[in-house]
Amino acid sequence: MVNDATLFIGLGNMGRPMAGNIARSGQRLFVYDADPQATEAVAKELHVHGPADLEAVAQDVGTVILMLPTSRIVETVLRGEDGLFRKLKRGTLIIDMGSSEPESTIALAGEATESDLVYVDAPVSGGVPKAISGELAIMVGGEPAAAERAKGLLDLMGKTVVRVGPAGTGHAAKALNNLLSATNLAAAAEILSVAKSVGINPAIMIEVINGSTSRSQASEFKYPKHILNATYDSGFSMDLMLKDMRIARSLIESSSLRAPIVLSAETLARHARETLDSPAPDHTELARYYEITNKTSFSGE
Ligand code: NAD
C-alpha cells in the first residue's frame, strides 16, 4: 500500500470507478471534481473526504491523480497562481491518467521537475467496464524511478502496467491505440453495411466475424453490447474519441510518414460528428452514422 494520501481529481465516467478501486484497497484518499455535486456524491459513496477546494488538501497528499477531459483542463489545474504546481509539497507525484496531448505533457513534466515535483503520464485503455473491474491497460511515460513509484497505485486500477518510455510517450501510445481502435470500428461498420445490403443479418455477420480472422474489440464488444441493441451507451463520448484521433493525426503529420487509412478514418469520424443529431453522441454512434448515410439499420434484426 502507498503510505501517503492520494488526491483523485476528475470523477466522471472513468474517474469515479477508478477512485473506487483505490478507496477499496484501504488507501487514504481525497476526491475532487469541478462539479461539487460529483465530489459530494463520490465522497459519500466511497466514504472518503471530498474537499470543497484543492488548496484545502494540497499539502496533505503525496500523490495526485488526474482523470480530466483535455490537456487544456490539466494545464489549468496545474499551472498559474492557483495551480497545484504552487500548492503541493515538494516531492509529490502527479499522475495524469487522462488522454492528454504528448507535447503538453512533456512541457508539464519539465515544469513539475523545476518545482521539485514528480510527473508521470499513465493513460488507460479498456473503458468503463475495465475501470470498474480494475483491469485497465495502463501505458506509462516518465522516468523509470517515477514509473516505479506510481506502480503501486496503478496496479490497483489496472491489469497491465507497461512503461512505454520518457514523459509523453504514454500519451502518444494512447492516442495511436485509439486511432487504430476507431479505425477498426469504422471498418467494421462499413463491412456491416455491405453485408446488410447483400441480405446478411448484421447479428449473424458479427457472429461470423467473431469466429474469423477479422474480429476486433469493435466486433467482439462494441457491436454486441452497444450497437446491435441500439443503446450506444459505452460511456466513452465521440468528442473524447475525436480528441484522441486529432492527437494521433498531429503525431503522424509531424513524423511525415504515410498513414492514409487511419488518417481517412479521422476525417470520416469528424464528418460523422457533424452529421449526427445527438448533442453528445457516444463514440459507438460512429456505426449509427453509417446506418444513416448508407440507410442500413444494424439493429432490431
Ligand atoms: P468525463 O467527461 O465523464 O469526466 C471528466 C470529469 O472531469 C467530469 O466529472 C468533470 O466535471 C471533471 N472536470 C472537468 N474540468 C475539471 C476541473 N478543472 N477540475 C476538476 N474536475 C474537472 O470523462 P471520462 O470519460 O471519465 O474521461 C476522462 C479522461 O479519460 C479523458 O481524457 C478521456 O479521453 C480518457 N478516457 C476515457 C475513456 C472512456 O471510456 N470514457 C477510456 C479511456 C480514456
Side-chain angles (χ1 to χ4, degrees):
M1 206 208 298
V2 184
N3 289 326
D4 269 329
T6 297
L7 167 61
F8 199 111
I9 305 177
L11 307 170
N13 289 324
M14 295 292 285
R16 188 174 184 143
M18 289 162 70
N21 282 321
I22 297 177
R24 276 185 288 281
S25 76
Q27 166 71 25
R28 268 184 65 218
L29 185 69
F30 299 107
V31 292
Y32 178 82
D33 194 282
D35 172 0
Q37 284 179 339
T39 305
E40 200 186 322
V42 177
K44 199 168 162 200
E45 177 189 313
L46 303 181
H47 308 290
V48 300
H49 181 47
D53 64 75
L54 292 173
E55 186 154 16
V57 293
Q59 285 286 312
D60 300 331
V61 299
T63 307
V64 176
I65 294 178
L66 306 171
M67 197 53 184
L68 296 164
T70 65
S71 282
R72 298 297 84 73
I73 294 174
V74 171
E75 289 160 2
T76 308
V77 169
L78 295 177
R79 283 182 177 147
E81 207 47 41
D82 295 325
L84 281 178
F85 280 159
R86 282 172 179 253
K87 313 269 184 215
L88 296 169
K89 64 185 180 207
R90 288 174 62 184
T92 298
L93 170 66
I94 300 170
I95 311 175
D96 179 7
M97 299 193 73
S99 308
S100 304
E101 297 163 23
E103 235 178 281
S104 165
T105 303
I106 292 166
L108 289 169
E111 291 165 43
T113 306
E114 283 165 20
S115 304
D116 284 323
L117 301 165
V118 180
Y119 204 91
V120 158
D121 46 310
V124 307
S125 180
V128 175
K130 300 290 182 191
I132 293 170
S133 65
E135 294 177 299
L136 291 163
I138 304 181
M139 41 217 111
V140 183
E143 293 302 313
E148 194 49 41
R149 190 175 149 194
K151 196 168 179 311
L153 273 172
L154 298 179
D155 281 340
L156 299 174
M157 297 174 273
K159 186 174 176 189
T160 58
V161 179
V162 176
R163 180 175 174 268
V164 184
T169 55
H171 280 148
K174 169 64 189 171
L176 293 172
N177 174 76
N178 274 26
L179 179 57
L180 179 56
S181 174
T183 304
N184 289 342
L185 176 60
E190 290 180 10
I191 293 303
L192 265 282
S193 280
V194 180
K196 173 98 195 261
S197 78
V198 298
I200 303 173
N201 177 320
I204 301 286
M205 188 66 202
I206 283 293
E207 208 180 320
V208 169
I209 290 172
N210 285 338
S212 307
T213 47
S214 62
R215 67 184 175 277
S216 65
Q217 217 257 355
S219 67
E220 289 184 319
F221 296 100
K222 293 176 186 177
Y223 266 89
K225 286 190 190 317
H226 309 294
I227 299 171
L228 291 176
N229 59 9
T231 52
Y232 306 109
D233 58 352
S234 77
F236 180 45
S237 72
M238 187 174 281
D239 288 339
L240 287 178
M241 180 188 82
L242 282 169
K243 173 195 67 173
D244 295 335
M245 296 177 91
R246 223 175 9 247
I247 295 170
R249 170 182 278 281
S250 85
L251 290 173
I252 291 165
E253 286 173 349
S254 65
S255 76
S256 313
L257 295 173
R258 292 189 67 244
I261 293 175
V262 289
L263 288 181
S264 72
E266 193 268 346
T267 305
L268 175 123
R270 264 188 288 130
H271 187 249
R273 177 68 183 91
E274 285 158 19
T275 306
L276 287 166
D277 42 12
S278 20
D282 191 79
H283 82 288
T284 53
E285 290 185 62
L286 187 58
R288 194 166 72 79
Y289 162 76
Y290 280 98
E291 297 186 17
I292 295 166
T293 52
N294 286 338
K295 299 186 174 58
T296 50
S297 167
F298 300 154
S299 56
E301 295 290 328

